[in-house]
Amino acid sequence: MPGQKDGVIITNSVSKPSLHHLPKSDTVSHRENSTLKKFLPIPGLVIATVISSLLVYATQHGPFVLNGFYNFVENSRTSVQAIISILTHILGFGHLYVLTSVISLSMRSLLQHYAHTPDRVKMWRALSSKSLDLSLPFKLLLPAVVLIALTVLPSTLWTGALTPNLVTQNIQLHLPVPYYAPDPGGKAWNQTWIPNAPHSVLRNPFGTFSYTPAYDRGRSMINTAAGVIFDKDRLGQRPRSDKSGFAYSSRSYGVGSSVGLIFPANEVIGLPSAFSYNETGYATNVNCSFNASSQWKIHLAKRSDSANVPDVFYCDGGTIENPIDRYIQYSTTNGSNIVAIDADANHIDPRASGIISVATGPGAYSVLNNTQCSVTFVPTLFQVNVDVASSNINVTKLGTDVDMDPTANANATFETWTCNPLNRSSLLKNSTNDCAVQTVQGQPGLGNIATRALRQLVDLSILDISLQQSDLGEMFLSEVQDEELFYTNSGNSPKLYVPPSTTAPNLTELVYIAEQAFKSLLDDSLLAFSSAQLALQYNSSTKNATMVATVNAVEFGSRPYVYSLFAFNLLLILIMAEEMIRTKGWKNLPQNHYLDLKGVIATSMTRKASADIAATAAPEKETSILFSNPSDQVATDMHVHLKFDEQKGTVELVGASREMAENEHENNEEKSGNEHKNNRRSLLHFSKRLRKAMTGLSECFDS
């Protein structure tokens, strides 16, 4: 055979090798290696199935709530993209490996039973290796083109299914809210107010908390009420009288004290972006009018003889149903600085309403003189909606509810500070002979909580006053300005009305302003009580309310990608299972692989050529290279090259052992060296002859 002295000619006309050419140990090794290759795609497919199933489960059960992971995704976008890119390439490669392995194994099985044209074998090779062989006919090239186009599908599906999206999720949590537990000893919310008596106060970075807010946060309450027109200014902000930083979009109704004081957050979920919960409070209704016959008046008690000493005024009076309180005021402006308010619960009236009466001195505040209001406290269930980002609280009514005050029922009693009418002399002497703690009977909507809220209006008119002006009076004038500004912007004219002393007009814009102010002050008083429950009596005066919180969450991928990925993965499982069943686990596959060029070369040799190479490479072992095995060192050490025979016009692929190849390389080097020497001698001989000829030619020209 040509070239046999230098190597072995590889031909296609070879005898079929048999297993007896291999030792038993090599045969077992080949079988184990073949089995491993057949089932190597299964672990990757199992991993992909588990991950795709978890993604489907996560999609159906909502986003993933973990604050630390959310912050990592939000703050490390570049790192997250890099991780997702690596994972999608790995998992996408796993899917493609399954697909190409099934194609390759099935083709190896088909080659044993059916004859195929070289072009069709090349097509299967292109499909198995995901390559594009342009030498194929179009009808055979098309499947390879389609497969290559589909190679981007797995990684695309994995990218769409694994990319984390920052979303929000509604979850249920518990939020402590104020609870008015029975307090028969009067140690907390049910304590009796007595003038000049000490009261519990807590001051911390969140504000000042007590059951007497007129004393401890009265100025903040007045400032809030000064800018309130609840029914018209829908976009206004009502700041709370504490330091929580939150504000109400409209009325508070005394609920929502937990917001800003108790944070519904932990390390797992973080701080919610929004939340809502239900809380019981009072829907306080205030209806005002002018009553020219009101008995609540301001009287001069003592005129001062010096401009530096204030005049003394006293405020007293009563109604037909109930006598009302009295107190002393001082003024250096002839009483124009006085706005006297009396507010009390009318426990005799079966309507269970409170009464507010206003009396003023002469001057700017006199437009409020003889204002009289009735107040009702309706137990109501409210929904508190909180936007944490904007620090905004919105309260809406849900319907009536059971009264939160244990004393607000016909079978309950509580103690309150009450005074009977006094004569002028005893009042000037600050006599309290006719003032004492009295026991009163509660009524629905009119227990101790409502009674104490009304009492704060009285305390505000006593405390927030100077010798020149009243903070309450300035609050009302500020609201008048707000009302005028509202009508100016709307193009209408305000209907402010100064009532004559002998008439009782219907509701006007002025009494409307009074209603808004008293609603704000009463809401803030009730809010102060509930805040004090949290700050002063947290362990015994709170209960858990169910809260729906909107928290930050991470959602992996989108539904179309997740479900498409799961379907594609299931399709690969079905294809692989069908082929395994059809081929009985790809049983009896030939050891050599038509895609393995090394195996094709080795197994295409004649038995004698194989034996010669094996004997030369490992003479001490009985071995062969008739089967391709990656661990077969003999086949690995084999060398091949193309050999041209110009006389015969043939090209031969010659295989040889390493030693044979090295010997041939040395022979070629020696032959090449000899040829180089001969060429050099010829060149020198030609050069000598050329110089001799040139010399002769020169002598000829000279002669």
Side-chain angles (χ1 to χ4, degrees):
M1 188 174 293
Q4 192 167 350
K5 64 178 181 179
D6 296 325
V8 179
I9 298 177
I10 298 175
T11 67
N12 290 326
S13 58
V14 297
S15 301
K16 183 178 180 180
S18 60
L19 290 176
H20 71 269
H21 292 284
L22 287 175
K24 184 177 181 180
S25 59
D26 289 342
T27 305
V28 174
S29 175
H30 289 311
R31 288 175 180 172
E32 291 176 351
N33 181 54
S34 177
T35 302
L36 178 63
K37 285 184 177 180
K38 286 190 290 185
F39 298 103
L40 187 60
I42 293 179
L45 191 58
V46 171
I47 294 174
T49 302
V50 171
I51 296 176
S52 62
S53 300
L54 290 176
L55 289 172
V56 172
Y57 178 84
T59 300
Q60 294 177 344
H61 290 78
F64 183 64
V65 179
L66 185 59
N67 188 54
F69 184 63
Y70 180 94
N71 292 334
F72 171 74
V73 174
E74 184 179 35
N75 300 325
S76 306
R77 301 291 182 119
T78 304
S79 300
V80 171
Q81 290 175 358
I83 294 172
I84 294 300
S85 178
I86 294 172
L87 290 176
T88 54
H89 279 82
I90 293 175
L91 295 171
F93 171 79
H95 271 160
L96 289 176
Y97 182 73
V98 171
L99 184 60
T100 55
S101 296
V102 170
I103 294 174
S104 176
L105 291 171
S106 299
M107 183 56 190
R108 290 172 64 184
S109 178
L110 288 174
L111 283 174
Q112 295 184 97
H113 303 91
Y114 303 100
H116 294 270
T117 64
D119 283 342
R120 187 169 294 275
V121 174
K122 288 172 63 180
M123 180 198 72
W124 286 107
R125 178 184 179 280
L127 292 176
S128 301
S129 59
K130 305 185 297 296
S131 60
L132 194 63
D133 190 344
L134 298 178
S135 64
L136 288 171
F138 177 77
K139 66 178 182 179
L140 299 179
L141 179 63
L142 186 60
V145 173
V146 173
L147 181 65
I148 291 176
L150 290 177
T151 56
V152 299
L153 180 62
S155 59
T156 301
L157 293 178
W158 279 112
T159 301
L162 287 177
T163 300
N165 302 311
L166 301 181
V167 296
T168 57
Q169 172 76 350
N170 291 333
I171 62 174
Q172 286 192 351
L173 299 173
H174 292 295
L175 179 70
V177 297
Y179 167 65
Y180 293 92
D183 183 24
K187 302 298 183 182
W189 64 270
N190 199 30
Q191 61 185 255
T192 304
W193 178 88
I194 300 175
N196 302 320
H199 54 277
S200 300
V201 181
L202 174 66
R203 293 180 173 86
N204 61 29
F206 295 101
T208 302
F209 305 95
S210 73
Y211 295 103
T212 55
Y215 284 80
D216 307 309
R217 55 166 79 175
R219 186 62 60 84
S220 297
M221 294 166 61
I222 290 174
N223 289 340
T224 299
V228 166
I229 307 178
F230 287 123
D231 299 335
K232 296 177 180 177
D233 187 6
R234 297 294 184 184
L235 301 178
Q237 292 288 314
R238 320 298 172 197
R240 290 188 3 176
S241 54
D242 55 23
K243 297 180 181 179
S244 64
F246 281 84
Y248 290 89
S249 59
S250 187
R251 292 188 61 180
S252 71
Y253 297 100
V255 298
S257 58
S258 299
V259 180
L261 302 182
I262 299 176
F263 296 93
N266 55 50
E267 293 182 357
V268 176
I269 66 171
L271 183 66
S273 59
F275 59 92
S276 64
Y277 63 96
N278 297 340
E279 184 178 353
T280 302
Y282 284 130
T284 308
N285 298 318
V286 181
N287 295 305
C288 296
S289 62
F290 288 108
N291 182 8
S293 60
S294 174
Q295 298 181 38
W296 179 249
K297 301 292 183 181
I298 297 175
H299 307 281
L300 177 64
K302 184 179 180 181
R303 180 73 66 181
S304 172
D305 297 331
S306 172
N308 297 324
V309 178
D311 299 329
V312 181
F313 293 82
Y314 71 95
C315 314
D316 70 350
T319 64
I320 298 175
E321 302 91 356
N322 193 33
I324 41 184
D325 212 349
R326 81 253 0 108
Y327 50 85
I328 295 175
Q329 295 284 22
Y330 303 92
S331 174
T332 58
T333 58
N334 196 30
S336 64
N337 64 314
I338 299 175
V339 175
I341 295 179
D342 194 272
D344 199 1
N346 187 359
H347 298 283
I348 300 175
D349 188 346
R351 294 173 299 177
S353 63
I355 298 175
I356 302 173
S357 298
V358 182
T360 69
Y365 307 148
S366 63
V367 294
L368 298 168
N369 194 38
N370 294 332
T371 302
Q372 200 167 62
C373 308
S374 64
V375 185
T376 56
F377 298 86
V378 181
T380 304
L381 182 65
F382 297 95
Q383 184 178 60
V384 182
N385 303 296
V386 183
D387 186 341
V388 178
S390 62
S391 300
N392 182 264
I393 307 171
N394 180 262
V395 180
T396 56
K397 298 178 184 179
L398 297 179
T400 58
D401 199 8
V402 178
D403 202 310
M404 61 185 178
D405 186 351
T407 65
N409 64 79
N411 298 321
T413 59
F414 59 94
E415 296 178 339
T416 182
W417 181 261
T418 305
C419 296
N420 293 321
L422 295 175
N423 58 43
R424 177 178 173 181
S425 60
S426 62
L427 181 65
L428 292 176
K429 295 178 182 178
N430 288 326
S431 172
T432 58
N433 292 333
D434 294 330
C435 296
V437 174
Q438 297 184 10
T439 301
V440 298
Q441 184 177 352
Q443 297 184 42
L446 204 58
N448 196 19
I449 295 175
T451 302
R452 289 177 64 85
L454 290 169
R455 178 70 207 187
Q456 304 312 305
L457 303 180
V458 180
D459 293 343
L460 286 172
S461 67
I462 296 174
L463 299 171
D464 292 284
I465 188 173
S466 68
L467 296 177
Q468 289 80 32
Q469 70 177 26
S470 164
D471 289 343
L472 280 176
E474 294 300 314
M475 175 196 72
F476 283 112
L477 293 182
S478 177
E479 288 204 14
V480 170
Q481 268 189 327
D482 292 339
E483 184 77 354
E484 290 179 343
L485 183 62
F486 171 79
Y487 276 102
T488 300
N489 292 337
S490 63
N492 298 322
S493 299
K495 298 178 181 179
L496 297 181
Y497 178 72
V498 180
S501 59
T502 58
T503 61
N506 295 325
L507 185 65
T508 65
E509 293 297 328
L510 194 59
V511 297
Y512 167 80
I513 289 172
E515 290 174 356
Q516 303 304 304
F518 288 133
K519 287 178 183 178
S520 177
L521 294 174
L522 290 171
D523 285 354
D524 275 1
S525 297
L526 295 171
L527 183 64
F529 296 158
S530 59
S531 298
Q533 287 290 93
L534 297 174
L536 300 176
Q537 304 291 329
Y538 179 83
N539 293 328
S540 61
S541 299
T542 58
K543 64 178 181 179
N544 285 330
T546 300
M547 176 183 70
V548 178
T550 302
V551 297
N552 295 326
V554 178
E555 183 178 52
F556 286 100
S558 60
R559 289 178 180 269
Y561 284 101
V562 172
Y563 291 135
S564 298
L565 174 65
F566 184 79
F568 180 74
N569 189 80
L570 182 61
L571 178 63
L572 289 182
I573 294 175
L574 294 176
I575 291 175
M576 188 168 187
E578 188 274 335
E579 283 298 299
M580 290 182 66
I581 294 172
R582 186 181 65 83
T583 61
K584 298 180 180 181
W586 294 289
K587 187 178 180 181
N588 298 325
L589 284 181
Q591 296 289 351
N592 57 311
H593 194 335
Y594 70 98
L595 290 180
D596 185 1
L597 184 60
K598 168 185 162 184
V600 171
I601 294 174
T603 56
S604 296
M605 294 181 179
T606 62
R607 294 181 183 178
K608 184 177 183 305
S610 170
D612 290 344
I613 296 175
T616 305
E620 72 281 0
K621 294 183 179 181
E622 183 183 354
T623 185
S624 174
I625 57 171
L626 290 180
F627 292 96
S628 172
N629 184 6
S631 61
D632 192 338
Q633 190 63 38
V634 175
T636 302
D637 289 341
M638 184 179 65
H639 289 63
V640 295
H641 68 278
L642 289 175
K643 190 170 185 180
F644 298 91
D645 192 331
E646 296 181 359
Q647 295 179 354
K648 296 182 178 181
T650 59
V651 179
E652 300 171 341
L653 181 63
V654 180
S657 67
R658 175 181 295 178
E659 182 179 354
M660 296 168 64
E662 290 177 352
N663 292 335
E664 183 177 357
H665 178 70
E666 291 176 357
N667 293 334
N668 290 336
E669 288 289 333
E670 182 179 356
K671 184 184 298 183
S672 176
N674 294 333
E675 291 178 356
H676 179 68
K677 290 179 181 178
N678 293 333
N679 292 335
R680 187 175 181 181
R681 291 193 191 99
S682 299
L683 183 61
L684 290 174
H685 180 69
F686 175 75
S687 177
K688 289 179 181 179
R689 295 181 64 181
L690 180 62
R691 285 198 300 270
K692 186 175 181 181
M694 292 296 293
T695 301
L697 183 62
S698 175
E699 291 176 354
C700 181
F701 280 115
D702 289 341
S703 61

